[in-house]
Amino acid sequence: MIKVALPNKGMLFEPTIELLNSCGYRVSKVGSALSFIDPENEVEFYFLRPGDIPLYVANGMLDCGITGKDFVAEKGVEHVKLLDLNYGQSKLRAAVPNDSPVQSLDEFADLTIATSLPGIVRAFFAPRELQIIELEGAVEIAVQLGIAQAVVDVVDTGTTLKQAGLRVVGDPLFLSNAALFAHHGREAHHQLTVLKQRIQGKLVAVDYMMVEYDTPGDILQRACEITPGLESPTITQLQREGWYSVKAMVKRRDAHRIMDELSAIGCRGILLTSIESARI
């Protein structure tokens, strides 16, 4: 049985639970419970603060965990990243008051900076020495309260910074998203390999759709050029002479354009369906 760390709260919590449930795992957080066992899949889940997960995994107390890449970078500990996940995207941005003369990130080395991720900030500005005020949350209020001249904070839309009278300076210091990390040396464990493959299958399903259609033989080749599939499309001869049924996986972002093109050349009965999971 493997031990897996999951975020106990925040924007990573619900998407992580939904992802695992969609992959066939039975996991839920009941009240203040700190763990949940899924005996059928031989997994024990632990609900931890997202920022603490890197330490538990790095020290080998837990086999793997799902958390943000920014939390892992902040702790500076060794992990094996198994998969990037398609949620929890965020940017670490630097900001100053609207009336500040500062126009570039190079000028931040001379300022007192409030942040909840001092490790990443110091690494970004190294080897320059910084004056950093470390806060757990509500970083954007630090300038207004007079304890800092600038902030570096996790930003989604930037609305919170604007409401605090701050403006963003320069490019993001760090780009993050949720990811699956393993303790170094345990990434080949059977249950962990299964976990990785199931999640990969779900991520593929998000990116692809299945298109099915009927086509007369004289345009079959043209239709297959539009829908080549992963290896090749599946082609079945229909009872009606000279007609074929074709099935192929297509990129979700291209699916509706492909339907338009198939219809334009004379294909019929075109169906587009979502995929629950896939292994490719």
Side-chain angles (χ1 to χ4, degrees), residues 88-243:
Q89 289 84 358
S90 65
K91 301 175 183 179
L92 190 64
R93 305 297 299 263
V96 294
N98 290 325
D99 59 359
S100 171
V102 172
Q103 296 296 326
S104 71
L105 290 176
D106 288 336
E107 299 172 75
F108 271 66
D110 299 323
L111 304 177
T112 301
I113 304 169
T115 183
S116 60
L117 297 168
I120 296 178
V121 175
R122 286 195 174 94
F124 181 87
F125 287 101
R128 289 169 290 182
E129 293 293 330
L130 301 177
Q131 301 177 63
I132 290 182
I133 305 295
E134 184 176 353
L135 301 174
E136 289 295 325
V139 172
E140 68 279 355
I141 201 67
V143 173
Q144 184 178 336
L145 293 178
I147 65 171
Q149 299 166 293
V151 303
V152 175
D153 199 13
V154 175
V155 173
D156 183 11
T157 64
T159 301
T160 302
L161 292 179
K162 291 179 182 179
Q163 291 174 342
L166 303 174
R167 59 176 172 84
V168 170
V169 177
D171 294 326
L173 281 66
F174 193 88
L175 298 176
S176 183
N177 54 264
L180 173 65
F181 296 91
H183 178 73
H184 186 74
R186 296 184 193 168
E187 58 272 23
H189 191 289
H190 174 66
Q191 275 82 24
L192 186 46
T193 299
V194 170
L195 173 63
K196 176 184 175 182
Q197 290 176 340
R198 288 190 186 185
I199 294 176
Q200 280 179 318
K202 194 64 182 179
L203 296 178
V204 169
V206 170
D207 288 338
Y208 284 87
M209 298 189 77
M210 185 68 72
V211 63
E212 301 178 59
Y213 57 90
D214 296 338
T215 177
D218 59 348
I219 62 169
L220 177 60
Q221 183 60 38
R222 290 174 62 192
C224 289
E225 290 173 358
I226 296 172
T227 60
L230 297 181
E231 303 297 337
S232 66
T234 299
I235 302 173
T236 305
Q237 188 169 2
L238 297 178
Q239 184 177 19
R240 180 180 177 183
E241 185 175 352
W243 278 76

